[in-house]
Every structure is written in structure tokens, then in C-alpha cells.
Amino acid sequence: NYTLIEADRNKGFNYPYLLYNPPAKENYKRPIFVQTLNADNVQNRKELTAQTKSAGENYLYYPRELSFPGIVAGFPRTPKDGPDIVQALSLEADVGEVATEEFPEESLKRVDRQLVNMIDDAKSRLSDENYPISDQVHMSGFSSGGTFASRFSFLHPGLVSTVTKGGDGAAPVPISEYKGTTLPYPLGTADYEEITGREFDREEWASIDLFFYNGEDDQPSPEDGSSYYQYSRRYYDKVLEVFGENQITERLPVTKSVYNEYKENVKFRVYEGVGHTTTPETSK
């Protein structure tokens, strides 16, 4: 029931994705479940293909349980991509700095739009099944994959109905400034129209169901020097000014307060004694 769909530049995606098609008898409508990739650095396309297959077989357990179709997009973490520019959907840095001969710059641009095209391709491939496919997808991700899920749903809210994300302390907020500080993407909506070509639809974004979970001990330190702590390298000073420094005691409460102001269908959960990892409890 797993099919590796090869990259197809004519269809608008430069990397492969794994498609899971459930053995389904009932013909009720089903959403495609999008599992984001949070994986190790890869050197070449062969390693990326193996990684994508493995991720799909290991992490598409929710679609298997629910008999939903699912996909894992094979966007690479290149050997140069320590800051997770691609897998965290940063859009804020020139992808040329993490591009390689195997993964050229042009192929790494706007992976959010590439994922949209993968979803469209998957819908087309599933069109002959005995069950209809929902227009909107469900998304799930952890760490940089969780960041990708929240940022993708922020950029394409009309395509997403549900997001489950964990392992990061902040998320894009649906406002252009906070207490006098301008918030460009990935912090807020100040340059949203420039990036997407349309105004931010707050009502559409607010309709997305969101579950946001973290481990209480999941607190990277400034000494790590990682984008995971920084959240945004380009706007790191704004991150500190608006969201604070501590992921759990500062950044998460700010994000929560803004989200609760603009949307009702959002839940936050912090698990005691848990670090930057998933557990049987967080996976329920």
C-alpha cells in the first residue's frame, strides 16, 4: 500500500514523496494525512529516497489506524543544512547557502508550493479509489517538522483542516505587529501578501484545529547556537523581544495568549518530565 512517487518537475515538485493508500472498503470521505519529514542530513538522492520510505513506514501510523491515505514529502536536509532551512520551511534565508550539486538551489525553493503540488498529485492518483478525498488535509510533525506544519498551514490555511505539532515553542501569529514590534514571516503577517500574493485570511486560519504539545524539559540553550533555539535567524532579535528567551516559560505563553485571542479550536499541552522527544503519552 506504499508507493514512492518520483520527483516530477512538470508537476511542480522536485523531490519524491511516499504515498500510502489504505485498504478501505467503506466509501466515506477521507482527508490525506501529511506527515512532515524531520530527518538526518543526506548526501544524495539515493539516501533521500531510503529516508523518505523509512519515514513513511515508521510514522504514518495514524493513517494506518484511521484508514486515511497519507503522504511524506521527501524534502532533504542537505549536508550544509544545520539550521533546518528546508525542513523547517524558513523561507527566510537564501537556500543557496545549503544547496549542493546533488540538491541544487532551484530545486529547494518554495518547498511549501512543492508540497501543494504533491497533494494535488496524490488526490489525482487516489481519484479512482472507492472513497472520496477531502479538499483539506491533516498535518502532523515534530521539531522542525512541527515548525514546517504550523508554517505551511499559516501560508496555505485553506488547504489544511487539522495540525498536530510538537517540539517547538513558538509559531507564526496571525498579526502584523505585537506591542509595537513588526512581525514578518515566520513570526507574523507583516510581509504575508508579499510572500503569498494574497492578504492573510485570519478567519480561514482560525478555522484550523490545532493541537500544540511540548515537553516541560524541552529547552534548548543559547549556547547551542542552533536555529531550533533561535526560531528565526534573520529575525532573532525580534524573537527575543516579542517571544522571549525560554521556550516553555516565555515563548509558549506568548504564542498561546495570541492564539487564544484569535481562535477557539486550539489546545496546548505541556508534558512533565519530557524533553525534546515523543513518548507513548504524547503520541496518543
Side-chain angles (χ1 to χ4, degrees):
N1 296 324
Y2 296 94
T3 305
L4 183 75
I5 310 301
E6 299 290 349
D8 192 332
R9 291 174 178 82
N10 292 327
K11 292 184 178 180
F13 49 94
N14 301 315
Y15 291 96
Y17 72 91
L18 192 73
L19 174 63
Y20 171 70
N21 187 2
K25 297 180 180 179
E26 299 83 1
N27 64 354
Y28 59 85
K29 184 176 287 189
R30 303 157 199 257
I32 293 176
F33 187 97
V34 179
Q35 175 66 47
T36 57
L37 190 60
N38 173 34
D40 296 330
N41 299 82
V42 290
Q43 301 288 332
N44 52 54
R45 294 258 177 173
K46 183 177 180 180
E47 290 182 2
L48 177 63
T49 296
Q51 192 179 79
T52 305
K53 287 181 177 179
S54 176
E57 293 167 1
N58 289 327
Y59 296 113
L60 286 178
Y61 39 83
Y62 290 123
R64 290 194 296 269
E65 283 188 7
L66 299 170
S67 292
F68 287 174
I71 68 175
V72 176
F75 298 130
R77 179 172 290 162
T78 76
K80 298 180 179 181
D81 194 0
D84 299 343
I85 288 172
V86 174
Q87 290 193 351
L89 190 56
S90 69
L91 297 186
E92 61 182 278
D94 183 359
V95 292
E97 68 182 78
V98 300
T100 66
E101 186 174 346
E102 287 279 334
F103 306 111
E105 179 177 358
E106 194 62 32
S107 73
L108 297 170
K109 291 181 177 179
R110 291 309 299 260
V111 291
D112 63 310
R113 291 174 178 167
Q114 294 189 49
L115 178 55
V116 171
N117 294 331
M118 290 176 179
I119 292 169
D120 287 342
D121 184 68
K123 288 178 178 178
S124 176
R125 292 175 185 275
L126 295 167
S127 62
D128 292 334
E129 296 300 320
N130 68 331
Y131 58 86
I133 300 297
S134 302
D135 292 334
Q136 295 178 306
V137 302
H138 291 196
M139 295 194 76
S140 177
F142 181 78
S143 191
S144 62
T147 304
F148 189 110
S150 62
R151 291 175 176 177
F152 180 86
S153 62
F154 189 73
L155 295 172
H156 304 277
L159 187 55
V160 182
S161 61
T162 301
V163 174
T164 301
K165 56 163 287 185
D168 63 347
V173 291
I175 50 179
S176 60
E177 67 173 30
Y178 184 82
K179 295 182 179 179
T181 300
T182 303
L183 300 178
Y185 179 88
L187 309 184
T189 65
D191 57 351
Y192 190 90
E193 189 168 357
E194 178 183 343
I195 292 172
T196 66
R198 64 186 185 281
E199 292 183 2
F200 180 69
D201 191 328
R202 186 179 291 144
E203 184 175 336
E204 191 170 53
W205 171 85
S207 69
I208 300 171
D209 289 314
L210 172 63
F211 178 55
F212 194 155
Y213 67 93
N214 282 277
E216 185 180 40
D217 299 333
D218 187 4
Q219 176 51 44
S221 68
E223 290 74 22
D224 293 339
S226 67
S227 65
Y228 168 49
Y229 167 76
Q230 294 175 342
Y231 189 69
S232 168
R233 291 187 304 158
R234 176 178 291 187
Y235 302 116
Y236 177 54
D237 289 343
K238 288 180 180 286
V239 171
L240 293 182
E241 182 178 352
V242 172
F243 295 97
E245 182 174 87
N246 187 284
Q247 177 160 280
I248 303 303
T249 61
E250 294 180 282
R251 296 182 182 180
L252 185 59
V254 171
T255 304
K256 184 177 180 179
S257 69
V258 177
Y259 272 49
N260 284 338
E261 183 177 351
Y262 290 101
K263 64 191 283 112
E264 296 180 357
N265 46 344
V266 56
K267 294 182 180 179
F268 294 85
R269 180 79 182 271
V270 176
Y271 293 90
E272 295 182 6
V274 176
H276 191 65
T277 186
T278 58
T279 69
E281 186 180 10
T282 65
S283 300
K284 288 179 180 178

